[in-house]
Amino acid sequence: MDKNILDIIGQRKSIRKYEDKKVESKKIEKLMESATLAPSAGNRQPWEFIVVEDEKVIAELIDEPMSKFNTSWMSKGVPLMIAVCGNPVESAKKYGDRGRNLYAIQDTAAAIQNIMLAAAGLGLGTCWIGAFDEVEVSELLDVKSDYRIYGLITVGYPAKEGSRPSRKPLSEVVRYIK
Ligand SMILES: Cc1cc2nc3c(=O)[nH]c(=O)nc-3n(C[C@H](O)[C@H](O)[C@H](O)COP(=O)(O)O)c2cc1C
């Protein structure tokens, strides 16, 4: 990865159409390493990453647990799916309610962003998926008790440049105290 991190942040956008091409194991490993390098409260790393390469399982995920949501674009093919799970019970052991309701989610969200930026640096496209039936996906992927799936990420080689929706101007979302 020889691009500047700011270039990668600037270039990343959600990709919802992928080439019919597998993601190489070496790249998947890089994504997972990047995930675990994310910060986490007290370095508790209360997460587990389930990497779904099996086409049949991906098809099952897209078919049932997501069919109620606006995810028809996925039926055109998703080469790889990553379920990012967090363990709020583990975070609560040290940080109580704040760990359960905030840190566990923040830790896994940081890991998700790391995966997405690393993927962009490796020439891969991703999309963060929040709309799915968590109970059904947990059953299908045999998610451990105590863990929740905080996000799914689709990954593959972009077949089409996504168009990034515009952002609110900085003047609307940033407040300086000088
Ligand atoms: C928490 C979260 C949940 C999301 N859920 C979905 C989803 O279910 N389906 C989808 O197509 N995109 C989903 N997205 C992607 C957003 O639509 C996308 O990031 C946003 O429109 C900004 O576009 P960009 O990623 O191209 O910059 C989600 C993003 C986040 C952060």
Side-chain angles (χ1 to χ4, degrees):
M1 210 194 287
D2 47 13
K3 275 189 200 153
N4 181 298
I5 185 68
L6 294 179
D7 294 337
I8 293 167
I9 290 172
Q11 150 212 322
R12 185 218 59 84
K13 48 179 102 90
S14 294
I15 298 294
R16 298 184 176 85
K17 199 165 194 300
Y18 302 102
E19 278 180 18
D20 182 17
K21 179 177 167 188
K22 289 225 169 280
V23 179
E24 301 86 338
S25 313
K26 274 257 165 287
K27 288 198 175 181
I28 297 175
E29 212 171 297
K30 274 269 165 248
L31 298 184
M32 293 301 95
E33 272 170 26
S34 304
T36 61
L37 291 175
S40 63
N43 196 30
R44 291 187 84 79
Q45 306 164 63
W47 47 46
E48 186 179 51
F49 308 93
I50 304 175
V51 181
V52 188
E53 295 180 81
D54 185 322
E55 279 171 35
K56 277 208 288 234
V57 179
I58 293 176
E60 281 180 82
L61 280 169
I62 293 170
D63 191 33
E64 260 310 298
M66 293 191 208
S67 56
K68 315 172 188 91
F69 305 95
N70 183 21
T71 44
S72 52
W73 57 269
M74 285 188 213
S75 55
K76 296 190 185 79
V78 172
L80 180 72
M81 188 96 82
I82 301 168
V84 184
C85 309
N87 185 341
V89 177
E90 163 71 14
S91 299
K93 278 184 201 153
K94 185 156 184 202
Y95 298 112
D97 280 348
R98 205 165 166 77
R100 182 182 300 105
N101 302 324
L102 189 63
Y103 296 166
I105 297 168
Q106 290 179 323
D107 296 342
T108 47
I112 291 174
Q113 183 72 346
N114 266 20
I115 293 172
M116 294 174 76
L117 292 177
L122 293 167
L124 295 163
T126 56
C127 188
W128 182 330
I129 307 298
F132 56 89
D133 185 311
E134 191 180 338
V135 173
E136 288 182 33
V137 177
S138 296
E139 273 171 24
L140 199 61
L141 302 182
D142 200 15
V143 171
K144 292 180 198 158
S145 65
D146 290 349
Y147 280 76
R148 290 197 58 188
I149 306 173
Y150 286 130
L152 297 173
I153 311 172
T154 57
V155 189
Y157 285 92
K160 198 172 89 178
E161 274 294 297
S163 58
R164 187 183 15 230
S166 65
R167 296 303 199 250
K168 293 178 182 176
L170 291 186
S171 57
E172 209 182 296
V173 296
V174 183
R175 190 161 65 89
Y176 293 96
I177 299 177
K178 293 196 181 182

